[in-house]
Amino acid sequence: MRVFVFFDLPIDTAAQRKEYRLFRKYLIKEGYLMLQESVYAKLVVNDAQAGAAINRLRQHRPPAGLVQALKVTEKQFATMEFITGARQSHDELDTLEGFVVL
């Protein structure tokens, strides 16, 4: 399952730019990968982990702007079509291969 995060945050003032940077750093620290500018996705094992990730997003949301989350199964994600361009390979780990549950 994947959790997508879409956000549109204001960057008019220095304080708003700081909030934008902090939110973006939080997403990266949590393991989200950037698909497009302001669109990030994270691989999770099940619906419970997806719910927990969304709850953590609520706790770290910026005070202004719009943040949306979407849960998508791997089967749905695999049907994504690239209309323009091509998918770039990432150096980051984006599979559950080698995943160990303790």
Coordinates of all heavy atoms in Angstrom, one line a residue:
M1 N 0.8 -1.2 0.0 CA 0.0 0.0 0.0 C 0.9 1.2 0.0 O 2.0 1.2 0.5 CB -0.9 0.0 1.2 CG -1.8 1.2 1.4 SD -3.1 0.9 2.6 CE -4.3 0.2 1.6
R2 N 0.4 2.3 -0.6 CA 1.1 3.6 -0.6 C 0.3 4.7 -0.1 O -0.9 4.7 -0.2 CB 1.5 3.9 -2.1 CG 2.3 2.8 -2.8 CD 3.5 3.3 -3.3 NE 4.1 2.1 -4.0 CZ 5.4 2.2 -4.4 NH1 6.1 3.3 -4.3 NH2 5.9 1.1 -5.0
V3 N 0.9 5.6 0.6 CA 0.3 6.8 1.0 C 0.8 8.0 0.2 O 2.0 8.2 0.2 CB 0.5 7.1 2.5 CG1 -0.1 8.4 3.0 CG2 0.0 5.9 3.4
F4 N -0.1 8.7 -0.5 CA 0.3 9.8 -1.3 C 0.0 11.1 -0.4 O -1.0 11.1 0.2 CB -0.5 9.9 -2.6 CG 0.0 9.0 -3.6 CD1 -0.4 7.7 -3.7 CD2 0.9 9.4 -4.6 CE1 0.0 6.8 -4.6 CE2 1.4 8.6 -5.6 CZ 0.9 7.3 -5.6
V5 N 0.9 12.1 -0.5 CA 0.7 13.4 0.1 C 0.7 14.4 -0.9 O 1.8 14.5 -1.6 CB 1.7 13.6 1.3 CG1 1.5 15.0 1.9 CG2 1.6 12.6 2.3
F6 N -0.3 15.2 -1.0 CA -0.4 16.3 -2.0 C -0.5 17.6 -1.1 O -1.3 17.6 -0.2 CB -1.6 16.3 -2.9 CG -1.8 14.9 -3.5 CD1 -2.6 13.9 -2.9 CD2 -1.2 14.7 -4.7 CE1 -2.8 12.7 -3.5 CE2 -1.4 13.5 -5.4 CZ -2.2 12.5 -4.8
F7 N 0.4 18.6 -1.4 CA 0.3 19.8 -0.6 C 0.5 21.0 -1.4 O 1.2 21.0 -2.4 CB 1.2 19.8 0.6 CG 2.7 19.6 0.3 CD1 3.5 20.7 0.1 CD2 3.3 18.4 0.1 CE1 4.8 20.6 -0.2 CE2 4.6 18.2 -0.2 CZ 5.4 19.3 -0.3
D8 N -0.2 22.1 -1.0 CA -0.1 23.4 -1.6 C 0.0 24.4 -0.5 O -0.9 24.7 0.2 CB -1.3 23.7 -2.5 CG -1.2 25.0 -3.2 OD1 -0.1 25.5 -3.4 OD2 -2.2 25.5 -3.7
L9 N 1.3 24.8 -0.2 CA 1.5 25.7 1.0 C 1.9 27.1 0.5 O 2.7 27.2 -0.5 CB 2.6 25.1 1.8 CG 2.4 23.7 2.3 CD1 3.6 23.2 3.1 CD2 1.1 23.6 3.1
P10 N 1.5 28.1 1.2 CA 1.9 29.5 0.8 C 3.4 29.7 1.2 O 3.9 29.2 2.1 CB 1.0 30.3 1.7 CG 0.6 29.5 2.9 CD 0.6 28.1 2.4
I11 N 4.0 30.5 0.3 CA 5.4 30.8 0.5 C 5.7 32.3 0.3 O 6.7 32.7 -0.2 CB 6.4 30.0 -0.4 CG1 5.9 30.1 -1.9 CG2 6.4 28.5 0.0 CD1 6.9 29.5 -2.9
D12 N 4.7 33.1 0.7 CA 4.8 34.6 0.5 C 5.8 35.2 1.5 O 6.5 36.1 1.2 CB 3.4 35.2 0.7 CG 2.5 34.7 -0.4 OD1 3.0 34.4 -1.5 OD2 1.3 34.6 -0.1
T13 N 5.8 34.8 2.8 CA 6.6 35.4 3.8 C 7.7 34.4 4.2 O 7.7 33.3 3.9 CB 5.8 35.7 5.1 OG1 5.4 34.5 5.7 CG2 4.6 36.6 4.7
A14 N 8.7 35.0 4.9 CA 9.8 34.2 5.4 C 9.4 33.1 6.3 O 9.8 31.9 6.3 CB 10.9 35.0 6.1
A15 N 8.4 33.4 7.2 CA 7.9 32.4 8.1 C 7.2 31.2 7.3 O 7.3 30.1 7.7 CB 6.9 33.0 9.1
Q16 N 6.4 31.6 6.3 CA 5.7 30.6 5.5 C 6.7 29.7 4.7 O 6.5 28.5 4.6 CB 4.8 31.2 4.5 CG 3.5 31.8 5.2 CD 2.7 32.6 4.2 OE1 3.2 33.1 3.2 NE2 1.4 32.7 4.5
R17 N 7.8 30.3 4.2 CA 8.8 29.5 3.6 C 9.5 28.5 4.5 O 9.8 27.4 4.2 CB 9.9 30.4 2.9 CG 9.3 31.1 1.6 CD 10.4 31.8 0.9 NE 10.9 33.0 1.6 CZ 10.4 34.2 1.6 NH1 9.3 34.4 0.8 NH2 11.0 35.2 2.2
K18 N 9.7 29.0 5.8 CA 10.3 28.1 6.8 C 9.4 26.9 7.1 O 9.8 25.8 7.2 CB 10.6 28.9 8.1 CG 11.2 28.1 9.1 CD 11.5 28.9 10.4 CE 12.1 28.0 11.4 NZ 12.4 28.7 12.7
E19 N 8.1 27.2 7.2 CA 7.1 26.1 7.5 C 7.1 25.1 6.3 O 7.0 23.9 6.5 CB 5.7 26.7 7.7 CG 5.5 27.4 9.0 CD 5.6 26.5 10.2 OE1 5.2 25.3 10.0 OE2 6.0 27.0 11.2
Y20 N 7.2 25.6 5.1 CA 7.3 24.8 3.9 C 8.5 23.9 4.0 O 8.4 22.7 3.8 CB 7.3 25.6 2.6 CG 7.5 24.9 1.4 CD1 6.4 24.4 0.7 CD2 8.8 24.6 0.8 CE1 6.6 23.6 -0.5 CE2 9.0 23.9 -0.3 CZ 7.9 23.4 -1.0 OH 8.0 22.7 -2.1
R21 N 9.7 24.5 4.3 CA 10.9 23.7 4.4 C 10.8 22.6 5.5 O 11.2 21.5 5.3 CB 12.1 24.6 4.6 CG 12.6 25.4 3.4 CD 13.9 26.0 3.6 NE 14.0 26.8 4.8 CZ 13.6 28.1 4.9 NH1 13.2 28.7 3.9 NH2 13.8 28.7 6.1
L22 N 10.3 23.0 6.6 CA 10.2 22.1 7.7 C 9.2 20.9 7.4 O 9.5 19.8 7.7 CB 9.7 22.8 9.0 CG 10.7 23.8 9.6 CD1 10.0 24.5 10.8 CD2 11.9 23.0 10.1
F23 N 8.1 21.2 6.7 CA 7.2 20.1 6.3 C 7.8 19.2 5.3 O 7.7 18.0 5.4 CB 5.9 20.7 5.8 CG 4.9 19.7 5.5 CD1 4.2 19.0 6.5 CD2 4.5 19.5 4.2 CE1 3.3 18.0 6.2 CE2 3.5 18.5 3.9 CZ 2.9 17.8 4.9
R24 N 8.5 19.8 4.4 CA 9.2 19.0 3.3 C 10.3 18.1 4.0 O 10.4 16.9 3.7 CB 9.8 19.9 2.3 CG 9.9 19.3 1.0 CD 10.4 20.2 -0.1 NE 11.2 19.4 -1.0 CZ 12.5 19.1 -0.8 NH1 13.1 19.5 0.2 NH2 13.1 18.3 -1.7
K25 N 11.0 18.6 4.9 CA 12.1 17.8 5.6 C 11.4 16.7 6.4 O 12.0 15.6 6.5 CB 12.9 18.7 6.5 CG 13.9 19.6 5.7 CD 14.7 20.4 6.6 CE 15.7 21.3 5.9 NZ 16.5 22.1 6.7
Y26 N 10.3 17.0 7.0 CA 9.6 16.0 7.8 C 9.2 14.8 6.9 O 9.4 13.7 7.2 CB 8.3 16.6 8.5 CG 7.4 15.5 9.0 CD1 7.7 14.8 10.1 CD2 6.3 15.2 8.3 CE1 6.9 13.8 10.6 CE2 5.4 14.2 8.7 CZ 5.7 13.5 9.8 OH 4.9 12.5 10.3
L27 N 8.6 15.2 5.7 CA 8.2 14.1 4.8 C 9.4 13.2 4.4 O 9.3 12.0 4.4 CB 7.6 14.7 3.5 CG 6.2 15.4 3.7 CD1 5.8 16.0 2.4 CD2 5.2 14.4 4.2
I28 N 10.5 13.8 4.1 CA 11.7 13.1 3.7 C 12.2 12.2 4.8 O 12.5 11.0 4.7 CB 12.8 14.0 3.2 CG1 12.3 14.7 1.9 CG2 14.1 13.3 3.0 CD1 13.1 15.9 1.4
K29 N 12.2 12.8 6.0 CA 12.6 12.0 7.2 C 11.7 10.8 7.5 O 12.2 9.8 7.9 CB 12.7 13.0 8.4 CG 13.1 12.3 9.7 CD 13.0 13.3 10.9 CE 13.1 12.6 12.2 NZ 12.6 13.4 13.3
E30 N 10.5 11.0 7.2 CA 9.5 9.9 7.4 C 9.5 8.8 6.3 O 8.8 7.8 6.4 CB 8.1 10.5 7.5 CG 7.7 11.1 8.8 CD 7.5 10.1 9.9 OE1 6.7 9.1 9.7 OE2 8.2 10.2 10.9
G31 N 10.3 9.0 5.3 CA 10.5 8.0 4.3 C 9.7 8.3 3.0 O 9.5 7.4 2.2
Y32 N 9.1 9.4 2.9 CA 8.3 9.8 1.7 C 9.3 10.1 0.5 O 10.3 10.7 0.7 CB 7.4 11.0 1.9 CG 6.2 10.7 2.8 CD1 6.3 10.8 4.1 CD2 5.0 10.3 2.2 CE1 5.2 10.5 5.0 CE2 3.9 10.0 3.0 CZ 4.1 10.1 4.4 OH 3.0 9.9 5.2
L33 N 9.0 9.7 -0.7 CA 9.8 10.0 -1.9 C 9.0 11.0 -2.7 O 7.8 10.8 -2.9 CB 10.0 8.7 -2.7 CG 10.8 7.6 -2.0 CD1 10.8 6.4 -2.8 CD2 12.2 8.0 -1.6
M34 N 9.7 11.9 -3.3 CA 9.0 12.9 -4.1 C 8.7 12.3 -5.5 O 9.6 11.8 -6.2 CB 9.9 14.1 -4.3 CG 9.3 15.3 -5.1 SD 10.2 16.8 -5.1 CE 11.5 16.4 -6.2
L35 N 7.5 12.4 -5.9 CA 7.1 11.9 -7.2 C 7.0 13.1 -8.2 O 7.4 13.0 -9.3 CB 5.7 11.3 -7.2 CG 5.6 10.0 -6.4 CD1 4.2 9.5 -6.4 CD2 6.5 9.0 -6.9
Q36 N 6.5 14.2 -7.7 CA 6.5 15.5 -8.4 C 6.7 16.6 -7.3 O 6.6 16.3 -6.2 CB 5.2 15.7 -9.1 CG 5.0 14.8 -10.3 CD 3.7 15.2 -11.0 OE1 3.0 16.2 -10.7 NE2 3.3 14.3 -12.0
E37 N 6.9 17.8 -7.8 CA 6.9 18.9 -6.8 C 5.6 18.9 -6.0 O 4.5 19.0 -6.6 CB 7.2 20.2 -7.5 CG 7.5 21.3 -6.6 CD 8.0 22.6 -7.3 OE1 8.5 22.5 -8.4 OE2 7.8 23.7 -6.7
S38 N 5.7 18.9 -4.7 CA 4.5 18.9 -3.8 C 3.7 17.7 -3.9 O 2.5 17.6 -3.5 CB 3.6 20.1 -4.1 OG 4.4 21.3 -3.9
V39 N 4.2 16.6 -4.4 CA 3.5 15.3 -4.4 C 4.6 14.2 -3.9 O 5.6 14.0 -4.6 CB 3.0 14.8 -5.8 CG1 2.4 13.5 -5.7 CG2 2.0 15.9 -6.3
Y40 N 4.3 13.6 -2.8 CA 5.2 12.7 -2.2 C 4.4 11.4 -1.9 O 3.2 11.4 -1.8 CB 5.7 13.2 -0.9 CG 6.8 14.2 -1.0 CD1 6.5 15.5 -1.5 CD2 8.1 14.0 -0.8 CE1 7.4 16.5 -1.7 CE2 9.1 15.0 -0.9 CZ 8.7 16.2 -1.4 OH 9.7 17.2 -1.6
A41 N 5.1 10.2 -1.9 CA 4.5 8.9 -1.7 C 5.4 8.1 -0.7 O 6.6 8.2 -0.8 CB 4.3 8.2 -3.0
K42 N 4.8 7.3 0.1 CA 5.5 6.4 1.0 C 4.9 5.0 0.9 O 3.7 4.8 0.8 CB 5.3 7.0 2.4 CG 6.0 6.1 3.5 CD 5.8 6.7 4.9 CE 6.5 5.9 5.9 NZ 6.4 6.5 7.2
L43 N 5.8 4.0 0.9 CA 5.4 2.6 0.9 C 5.1 2.2 2.3 O 6.0 2.4 3.2 CB 6.5 1.8 0.3 CG 6.2 0.3 0.0 CD1 5.1 0.1 -1.0 CD2 7.5 -0.3 -0.5
V44 N 4.0 1.6 2.6 CA 3.6 1.1 3.9 C 3.2 -0.4 3.7 O 2.8 -0.8 2.7 CB 2.5 1.9 4.6 CG1 3.1 3.3 5.0 CG2 1.3 2.0 3.8
V45 N 3.2 -1.1 4.8 CA 2.9 -2.6 4.7 C 1.4 -2.8 4.7 O 1.0 -3.7 4.0 CB 3.6 -3.3 6.0 CG1 3.2 -4.7 6.0 CG2 5.1 -3.1 5.9
N46 N 0.6 -2.1 5.5 CA -0.8 -2.4 5.6 C -1.6 -1.1 5.9 O -1.0 0.0 6.0 CB -1.1 -3.5 6.6 CG -0.5 -3.1 8.0 OD1 -0.5 -1.9 8.3 ND2 -0.2 -4.1 8.7
D47 N -2.9 -1.3 6.0 CA -3.8 -0.2 6.2 C -3.6 0.5 7.5 O -3.7 1.7 7.7 CB -5.3 -0.6 6.0 CG -6.2 0.5 5.9 OD1 -6.0 1.4 5.2 OD2 -7.2 0.5 6.7
A48 N -3.2 -0.3 8.5 CA -3.0 0.2 9.9 C -1.8 1.2 9.9 O -1.8 2.3 10.5 CB -2.7 -0.9 10.9
Q49 N -0.7 0.8 9.2 CA 0.4 1.7 9.1 C 0.1 2.9 8.2 O 0.6 4.0 8.5 CB 1.6 0.9 8.4 CG 2.4 0.1 9.4 CD 3.7 -0.3 8.9 OE1 4.0 -0.2 7.7 NE2 4.5 -0.9 9.7
A50 N -0.7 2.8 7.2 CA -1.1 3.9 6.5 C -1.9 4.9 7.3 O -1.7 6.1 7.3 CB -2.0 3.5 5.3
G51 N -2.8 4.4 8.2 CA -3.5 5.2 9.1 C -2.6 5.9 10.1 O -2.8 7.1 10.4
A52 N -1.6 5.2 10.6 CA -0.7 5.8 11.5 C 0.1 6.9 10.8 O 0.4 8.0 11.4 CB 0.2 4.8 12.1
A53 N 0.5 6.7 9.6 CA 1.3 7.7 8.8 C 0.4 9.0 8.6 O 0.9 10.1 8.7 CB 1.8 7.1 7.5
I54 N -0.8 8.8 8.3 CA -1.7 9.9 8.1 C -1.9 10.7 9.4 O -2.0 11.9 9.5 CB -3.0 9.5 7.5 CG1 -2.8 9.0 6.1 CG2 -4.1 10.6 7.5 CD1 -3.9 8.4 5.4
N55 N -2.0 9.9 10.6 CA -2.1 10.6 11.9 C -0.9 11.4 12.2 O -1.0 12.5 12.7 CB -2.4 9.6 13.0 CG -3.8 9.1 13.0 OD1 -4.7 9.8 12.5 ND2 -4.1 7.9 13.5
R56 N 0.3 10.9 11.8 CA 1.5 11.7 12.1 C 1.6 12.9 11.2 O 2.0 14.0 11.6 CB 2.7 10.8 11.8 CG 3.0 9.8 13.0 CD 4.3 9.1 12.9 NE 4.6 8.5 11.6 CZ 4.2 7.2 11.3 NH1 3.6 6.5 12.2 NH2 4.5 6.7 10.1
L57 N 1.0 12.8 10.0 CA 0.9 13.9 9.1 C 0.1 15.0 9.7 O 0.4 16.2 9.7 CB 0.3 13.6 7.7 CG 1.3 13.0 6.7 CD1 0.5 12.4 5.5 CD2 2.3 14.0 6.2
R58 N -1.0 14.6 10.3 CA -1.9 15.6 11.0 C -1.2 16.3 12.1 O -1.4 17.5 12.3 CB -3.2 14.9 11.6 CG -4.2 14.5 10.6 CD -5.5 14.0 11.2 NE -6.5 13.7 10.2 CZ -6.7 12.4 9.9 NH1 -6.1 11.4 10.4 NH2 -7.6 12.2 8.9
Q59 N -0.3 15.6 12.8 CA 0.4 16.2 13.9 C 1.5 17.2 13.4 O 1.8 18.1 14.2 CB 1.0 15.1 14.8 CG 0.1 14.3 15.5 CD 0.7 13.1 16.2 OE1 1.9 12.8 16.0 NE2 -0.1 12.3 16.9
H60 N 2.0 17.0 12.2 CA 3.1 17.8 11.7 C 2.6 18.8 10.6 O 3.4 19.3 9.9 CB 4.2 16.9 11.2 CG 4.9 16.3 12.3 ND1 4.5 15.0 12.8 CD2 6.0 16.6 13.1 CE1 5.3 14.7 13.8 NE2 6.2 15.6 14.0
R61 N 1.3 18.9 10.4 CA 0.8 19.8 9.3 C 1.2 21.2 9.6 O 1.3 21.7 10.7 CB -0.7 19.6 9.2 CG -1.5 20.2 10.3 CD -3.0 20.1 10.0 NE -3.7 20.7 11.1 CZ -4.3 20.1 12.1 NH1 -4.4 18.7 12.0 NH2 -5.0 20.7 13.0
P62 N 1.5 22.0 8.5 CA 1.7 23.4 8.7 C 0.5 24.2 9.0 O -0.6 23.7 8.8 CB 2.2 23.8 7.3 CG 2.2 22.6 6.4 CD 1.6 21.5 7.2
P63 N 0.6 25.3 9.6 CA -0.6 26.1 10.1 C -1.4 26.6 8.9 O -2.6 26.9 9.1 CB 0.0 27.2 10.9 CG 1.4 27.4 10.5 CD 1.9 26.0 10.0
A64 N -0.8 26.8 7.7 CA -1.6 27.4 6.6 C -1.4 26.5 5.4 O -0.4 25.7 5.3 CB -1.1 28.8 6.3
G65 N -2.3 26.6 4.4 CA -2.1 25.8 3.2 C -3.0 24.6 3.2 O -3.8 24.3 4.1
L66 N -2.9 23.8 2.2 CA -3.7 22.6 2.0 C -2.8 21.4 1.9 O -1.8 21.3 1.2 CB -4.5 22.7 0.7 CG -5.3 21.5 0.2 CD1 -6.4 21.3 1.2 CD2 -5.9 21.7 -1.2
V67 N -3.1 20.3 2.7 CA -2.3 19.1 2.7 C -3.4 18.0 2.6 O -4.4 17.9 3.3 CB -1.5 18.9 4.0 CG1 -0.8 17.5 4.0 CG2 -0.5 20.0 4.2
Q68 N -3.2 17.1 1.6 CA -4.2 16.0 1.4 C -3.4 14.7 1.3 O -2.3 14.6 0.9 CB -4.9 16.2 0.0 CG -5.7 17.5 -0.1 CD -6.2 17.7 -1.5 OE1 -5.4 17.9 -2.4 NE2 -7.5 17.8 -1.6
A69 N -4.0 13.6 1.8 CA -3.4 12.3 1.8 C -4.4 11.3 1.1 O -5.6 11.5 1.2 CB -3.2 11.8 3.3
L70 N -3.8 10.4 0.4 CA -4.5 9.4 -0.3 C -3.9 8.0 -0.1 O -2.7 7.9 -0.3 CB -4.6 9.8 -1.8 CG -5.2 8.8 -2.8 CD1 -6.7 8.6 -2.5 CD2 -4.9 9.2 -4.2
K71 N -4.7 7.0 0.3 CA -4.2 5.6 0.4 C -4.5 4.9 -0.9 O -5.6 5.0 -1.4 CB -4.8 4.9 1.5 CG -4.5 5.5 2.9 CD -5.0 4.7 4.0 CE -6.5 4.8 4.1 NZ -7.1 4.1 5.3
V72 N -3.5 4.2 -1.4 CA -3.6 3.5 -2.7 C -2.9 2.1 -2.5 O -1.8 2.0 -2.0 CB -2.9 4.3 -3.9 CG1 -2.9 3.5 -5.2 CG2 -3.5 5.6 -4.0
T73 N -3.6 1.1 -3.0 CA -3.0 -0.3 -3.0 C -1.9 -0.4 -4.0 O -1.8 0.4 -5.0 CB -4.1 -1.4 -3.2 OG1 -4.5 -1.2 -4.6 CG2 -5.2 -1.3 -2.2
E74 N -1.1 -1.4 -3.8 CA 0.0 -1.6 -4.8 C -0.5 -1.9 -6.2 O 0.0 -1.6 -7.2 CB 0.9 -2.7 -4.3 CG 1.9 -2.3 -3.3 CD 2.8 -1.2 -3.8 OE1 3.5 -1.3 -4.8 OE2 2.9 -0.1 -3.1
K75 N -1.6 -2.7 -6.2 CA -2.3 -3.0 -7.5 C -2.7 -1.8 -8.2 O -2.5 -1.6 -9.4 CB -3.4 -4.0 -7.3 CG -4.0 -4.5 -8.5 CD -5.1 -5.6 -8.2 CE -5.6 -6.2 -9.5 NZ -6.7 -7.2 -9.2
Q76 N -3.3 -0.8 -7.5 CA -3.8 0.4 -8.1 C -2.6 1.3 -8.5 O -2.6 1.9 -9.6 CB -4.6 1.2 -7.1 CG -5.9 0.6 -6.8 CD -6.6 1.2 -5.6 OE1 -6.0 1.7 -4.7 NE2 -8.0 1.2 -5.6
F77 N -1.5 1.3 -7.7 CA -0.3 2.1 -8.0 C 0.3 1.5 -9.3 O 0.8 2.3 -10.1 CB 0.7 2.0 -6.8 CG 1.9 2.8 -7.1 CD1 1.9 4.2 -7.0 CD2 3.1 2.2 -7.4 CE1 3.1 4.9 -7.2 CE2 4.3 2.9 -7.6 CZ 4.2 4.3 -7.5
A78 N 0.3 0.2 -9.5 CA 0.9 -0.4 -10.6 C 0.2 0.0 -11.9 O 0.8 -0.1 -13.0 CB 1.0 -1.9 -10.5
T79 N -1.0 0.4 -11.8 CA -1.7 0.8 -13.1 C -1.5 2.2 -13.4 O -2.1 2.7 -14.4 CB -3.3 0.5 -12.9 OG1 -3.8 1.4 -11.9 CG2 -3.5 -0.9 -12.6
M80 N -0.7 3.0 -12.7 CA -0.4 4.4 -13.1 C 0.2 4.5 -14.5 O 1.1 3.7 -14.8 CB 0.6 5.0 -12.1 CG 0.8 6.4 -12.3 SD 2.2 7.2 -11.3 CE 1.9 6.6 -9.7
E81 N -0.3 5.4 -15.2 CA 0.1 5.6 -16.6 C 0.9 6.9 -16.7 O 0.5 7.9 -16.1 CB -1.0 5.6 -17.6 CG -1.7 4.3 -17.7 CD -2.8 4.3 -18.8 OE1 -2.6 5.0 -19.8 OE2 -3.8 3.6 -18.6
F82 N 2.0 6.8 -17.4 CA 2.9 8.0 -17.6 C 2.5 8.6 -18.9 O 2.9 8.0 -20.0 CB 4.3 7.7 -17.5 CG 4.7 7.2 -16.1 CD1 4.6 5.9 -15.8 CD2 5.1 8.1 -15.1 CE1 5.0 5.4 -14.5 CE2 5.4 7.7 -13.8 CZ 5.3 6.3 -13.5
I83 N 1.8 9.7 -19.0 CA 1.4 10.3 -20.2 C 2.5 11.0 -20.9 O 2.7 10.9 -22.1 CB 0.2 11.3 -19.9 CG1 -0.9 10.6 -19.1 CG2 -0.3 11.9 -21.2 CD1 -1.6 9.4 -19.8
T84 N 3.3 11.8 -20.2 CA 4.4 12.5 -20.8 C 5.6 12.2 -19.9 O 5.6 12.1 -18.7 CB 4.2 14.0 -20.7 OG1 3.0 14.3 -21.4 CG2 5.3 14.8 -21.3
G85 N 6.7 12.0 -20.6 CA 8.0 11.7 -19.9 C 8.0 10.2 -19.5 O 7.3 9.4 -20.0
A86 N 9.0 9.9 -18.7 CA 9.2 8.5 -18.3 C 9.5 8.5 -16.8 O 10.0 9.5 -16.3 CB 10.3 7.9 -19.1
R87 N 9.3 7.4 -16.2 CA 9.6 7.3 -14.8 C 11.2 7.2 -14.6 O 11.8 6.4 -15.3 CB 9.0 6.0 -14.2 CG 9.4 5.8 -12.7 CD 8.7 4.6 -12.2 NE 9.0 4.6 -10.8 CZ 8.5 3.7 -9.9 NH1 7.7 2.8 -10.3 NH2 8.9 3.8 -8.6
Q88 N 11.7 8.0 -13.7 CA 13.1 8.0 -13.5 C 13.4 7.0 -12.4 O 12.6 6.8 -11.4 CB 13.5 9.4 -13.0 CG 13.3 10.5 -14.1 CD 13.8 11.9 -13.5 OE1 14.1 12.0 -12.4 NE2 13.7 12.8 -14.4
S89 N 14.5 6.4 -12.5 CA 14.9 5.4 -11.4 C 15.4 6.2 -10.2 O 16.1 7.3 -10.4 CB 16.0 4.5 -11.9 OG 17.1 5.2 -12.3
H90 N 15.1 5.7 -9.1 CA 15.5 6.4 -7.8 C 16.6 5.5 -7.1 O 16.6 4.3 -7.2 CB 14.4 6.6 -6.9 CG 13.3 7.5 -7.4 ND1 13.5 8.9 -7.3 CD2 12.1 7.3 -7.9 CE1 12.5 9.5 -7.8 NE2 11.6 8.5 -8.2
D91 N 17.5 6.2 -6.4 CA 18.5 5.5 -5.7 C 17.9 4.9 -4.4 O 18.5 4.1 -3.8 CB 19.7 6.4 -5.4 CG 20.5 6.7 -6.6 OD1 20.4 5.9 -7.6 OD2 21.1 7.8 -6.7
E92 N 16.8 5.5 -3.9 CA 16.2 5.1 -2.7 C 15.6 3.7 -2.8 O 15.1 3.3 -3.8 CB 15.2 6.1 -2.2 CG 15.7 7.5 -1.9 CD 15.7 8.4 -3.1 OE1 15.4 7.9 -4.2 OE2 16.0 9.6 -3.0
L93 N 15.5 3.1 -1.7 CA 14.8 1.8 -1.6 C 13.3 2.0 -1.6 O 12.8 2.8 -0.8 CB 15.2 1.1 -0.3 CG 14.6 -0.3 0.0 CD1 15.1 -1.3 -1.1 CD2 15.0 -0.8 1.3
D94 N 12.6 1.4 -2.5 CA 11.2 1.6 -2.7 C 10.5 0.3 -2.8 O 9.5 0.2 -3.5 CB 11.0 2.5 -3.9 CG 9.6 3.1 -4.0 OD1 9.0 3.1 -2.9 OD2 9.1 3.4 -5.1
T95 N 11.0 -0.7 -2.1 CA 10.3 -2.0 -2.1 C 10.3 -2.6 -0.7 O 11.0 -2.1 0.1 CB 11.0 -3.0 -3.1 OG1 12.3 -3.4 -2.5 CG2 11.1 -2.5 -4.5
L96 N 9.6 -3.7 -0.5 CA 9.6 -4.3 0.7 C 10.6 -5.5 0.8 O 10.6 -6.2 1.7 CB 8.1 -4.9 1.1 CG 7.1 -3.8 1.4 CD1 5.8 -4.4 1.6 CD2 7.5 -3.0 2.6
E97 N 11.3 -5.6 -0.3 CA 12.3 -6.7 -0.3 C 13.3 -6.5 0.8 O 13.9 -5.4 1.0 CB 13.0 -6.7 -1.7 CG 14.0 -7.8 -1.9 CD 14.6 -7.8 -3.3 OE1 13.9 -7.6 -4.2 OE2 15.8 -8.0 -3.3
G98 N 13.6 -7.5 1.6 CA 14.5 -7.4 2.7 C 13.9 -6.7 3.9 O 14.6 -6.5 4.9
F99 N 12.6 -6.6 3.9 CA 11.9 -6.0 5.0 C 11.8 -7.0 6.1 O 11.3 -8.1 5.9 CB 10.5 -5.5 4.6 CG 9.7 -4.8 5.7 CD1 10.0 -3.6 6.1 CD2 8.6 -5.5 6.3 CE1 9.2 -3.0 7.1 CE2 7.9 -4.9 7.2 CZ 8.2 -3.7 7.7
V100 N 12.2 -6.6 7.4 CA 12.1 -7.5 8.5 C 11.2 -6.9 9.6 O 11.4 -5.8 10.0 CB 13.5 -7.7 9.1 CG1 13.5 -8.6 10.3 CG2 14.5 -8.3 8.0
V101 N 10.2 -7.7 10.0 CA 9.4 -7.3 11.1 C 9.9 -7.9 12.4 O 10.1 -9.1 12.4 CB 7.9 -7.8 10.8 CG1 7.0 -7.4 12.0 CG2 7.4 -7.2 9.5
L102 N 10.1 -7.1 13.3 CA 10.6 -7.6 14.6 C 9.5 -7.7 15.6 O 8.6 -6.9 15.7 CB 11.7 -6.7 15.2 CG 12.9 -6.6 14.2 CD1 13.9 -5.6 14.8 CD2 13.6 -7.9 14.1

